[in-house]
């Protein structure tokens, strides 16, 4: 028998609008009517931060010119083990040897000057005496220069791997707005407007078929169109370690902590009745994105050019690299509206914050509720 109250319950449980699936599309960032208020919020609160911070970035980059040093084998290995690049590390054939490899095929990225990064392969060994590079090839050609190796990996990380953590954000935000999910309101801030700026405005740090912003006075080597093209292929992550592998001995490795953070998010979502289908999109949008930025920005003392094919890193290029790291890679949020989960006094985010603190308190403090920078 259908009573009025059960009909009421049924209606209440039904989403108000049909749920749109969450897709990985970085270029779905137009300012459509339902997200206009988010663009306005971004223009008022987040965008000015890039201009304010520019002055600090320029002064600090000048200082860094005197202290930067060339990357070593240890830096290269530390970098890939402590960023999302770690998802691509595999043991070399016999894994007792302490040898590891990282291979990328079918890459679509292009850099200014007509250069293409098609593939790369790195082998390294870790032992008691430290870590060292066994080989590095790029487009099938062996590269020996440590600065170029670091630069190539950095280029791939910033333009391809890290970008993957942004991919679900537009669609997730539209989903939150269209379905008016109040618990996740803070997770709708800035992301779409930021992507719009990066892909379509003259304020972008990326090159638009060879032109960088004239306003910022610096820019990365990657071509925007190639970044979008590259972002359409997620297959490099198939079988990656965060979802499928949790090695108890590597509990505190970057991937181990990501794995545990994902479980923490899953638990918090369950307790606060958030649709579990949003798990991976929300995971990438909050935790993966923030900690990847913070971890990347720890390599601020290395001298290398942002252009992977630069023969040597001159003063101008070293300055560009530092500007990019301080302004774009280091977390840059408005201190009055930081949107970190720590600062949001709402049960879901506080609950998640508490659980992340048990995994890594530094991570917990920097995680933002959405892609903010
Ligand atoms: C990078 O990760 C390794 C282990 O995965 C760790 O030993 C090392 O200290 C880390 N380096 C930095 C700079 O975080
Ligand atoms: C890598 O790219 C180069 C240049 O296009 C090509 O000759 C080589 O076969 C590629 N290697 C792999 C493993 O795909
Ligand atoms: C983002 O989420 C997808 C699943 O939806 C996952 O396969 C992918 O590994 C995540 N990306 C990163 C960088 O963690
Ligand atoms: C790049 O800049 C040059 C010179 O300022 C200009 O002529 C050209 O049209 C620009 N290209 C694009 C794709 O905007
Ligand atoms: C450094 O910045 C300038 C100004 O935007 C740009 O023209 C140049 O290509 C950049 N150099 C590198 C190596 O990215
Ligand atoms: C995606 O990349 C993989 C290699 O990482 C390649 O085998 C596959 O063909 C690519 N797919 C498309 C549609 O380009």
């Amino acid at each position: 028998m259908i009573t009025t109250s059960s009909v009421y319950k049924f209606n209440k449980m039904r989403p108000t609008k049909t749920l749109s699936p969450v897709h990985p599309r970085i270029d779905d960032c137009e300012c459509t009517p339902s997200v206009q208020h988010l663009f306005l919020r971004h223009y008022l609160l987040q965008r000015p931060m890039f201009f304010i911070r520019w002055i600090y970035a320029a002064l600090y980059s000048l200082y860094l010119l005197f202290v930067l040093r060339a990357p070593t084998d240890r830096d290269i290995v530390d970098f890939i083990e402590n960023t999302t690049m770690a998802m691509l590390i595999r043991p070399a054939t016999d894994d007792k040897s302490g040898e590891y490899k990282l291979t990328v095929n079918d890459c679509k990225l292009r850099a200014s000057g007509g250069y293409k990064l098609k593939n790369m392969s790195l082998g390294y060994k870790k032992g008691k005496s430290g870590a060292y590079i066994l080989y590095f090839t790029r487009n099938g050609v062996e590269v020996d220069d440590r600065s170029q190796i670091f630069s190539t990996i950095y280029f791939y990380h910033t333009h391809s791997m890290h970008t993957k953590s942004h991919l679900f954000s537009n669609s997730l935000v539209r989903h939150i707005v269209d379905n008016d999910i109040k618990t996740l309101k803070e997770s709708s801030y800035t992301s779409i407007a930021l992507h719009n700026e990066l892909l379509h405005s003259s304020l972008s740090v990326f090159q638009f078929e060879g032109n960088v912003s004239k306003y910022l006075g610096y820019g990365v080597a990657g071509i925007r169109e190639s970044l979008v093209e590259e972002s359409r292929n997620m297959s490099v992550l198939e079988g990656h370690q965060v979802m499928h592998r949790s090695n108890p001995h590597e509990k505190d490795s970057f991937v181990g902590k990501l794995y545990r953070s994902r479980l923490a998010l899953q638990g918090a979502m369950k307790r606060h009745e958030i649709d579990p289908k949003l798990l991976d999109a929300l995971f990438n949008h909050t935790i993966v994105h923030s900690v990847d930025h913070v971890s990347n920005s720890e390599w601020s003392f290395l001298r290398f050019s942002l252009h992977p094919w630069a023969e040597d890193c001159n003063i101008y290029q070293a300055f560009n690299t530092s500007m990019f790291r301080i302004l774009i890679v280091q977390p840059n949020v408005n201190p009055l509206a930081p949107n970190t989960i720590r600062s949001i006094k709402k049960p879901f985010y506080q609950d998640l914050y508490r659980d992340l603190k048990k995994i890594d308190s530094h991570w917990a403090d920097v995680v933002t509720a959405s892609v903010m920078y």
Side-chain angles (χ1 to χ4, degrees), residues 100-251:
Y100 301 88
K101 62 177 186 200
L102 185 159
T103 306
V104 169
N105 286 319
D106 279 303
C107 179
K108 300 284 189 280
L109 293 177
R110 286 180 285 132
S112 57
Y115 291 93
K116 293 179 178 167
L117 178 60
K118 292 180 178 159
N119 56 47
M120 63 178 188
S121 184
L122 169 80
Y124 68 95
K125 190 174 167 78
K126 276 173 84 174
K128 289 196 185 68
S129 55
Y132 56 93
I133 307 295
L134 299 169
Y135 60 83
F136 180 78
T137 60
R138 180 175 65 193
N139 298 346
V141 180
E142 198 148 335
V143 177
D144 216 36
D145 180 76
R146 272 26 185 179
S147 295
Q148 277 200 29
I149 297 177
F150 191 89
S151 175
T152 306
I153 292 173
Y154 193 86
F155 178 75
Y156 181 78
H157 175 255
T158 47
H159 291 74
S160 179
M161 272 312 274
H162 177 75
T163 304
K164 298 198 188 311
S165 70
H166 285 250
L167 288 187
F168 289 88
S169 299
N170 300 327
S171 189
L172 177 65
V173 168
R174 292 190 195 281
H175 180 91
I176 293 170
V177 173
D178 292 347
N179 295 285
D180 193 20
I181 305 176
K182 298 210 169 51
T183 328
L184 294 178
K185 184 171 164 234
E186 284 75 7
S187 291
S188 68
Y189 295 163
T190 276
S191 316
I192 295 187
L194 177 76
H195 291 156
N196 192 297
E197 221 149 75
L198 287 172
L199 294 182
H200 301 299
S201 87
S202 51
L203 287 172
S204 175
V205 291
F206 298 107
Q207 310 233 5
F208 178 65
E209 295 296 6
N211 290 359
V212 292
S213 167
K214 289 171 192 62
Y215 303 101
L216 294 169
Y218 77 101
V220 287
I223 308 286
R224 267 184 261 186
E225 292 78 358
S226 78
L227 178 143
V228 174
E229 200 182 339
E230 169 72 3
S231 78
R232 298 210 174 101
N233 192 342
M234 293 285 271
S235 73
V236 76
L237 284 173
E238 269 161 26
H240 70 74
Q241 307 174 13
V242 176
M243 307 260 277
H244 305 290
R245 229 200 295 173
S246 160
N247 180 345
H249 304 294
E250 302 210 336
K251 198 161 135 280

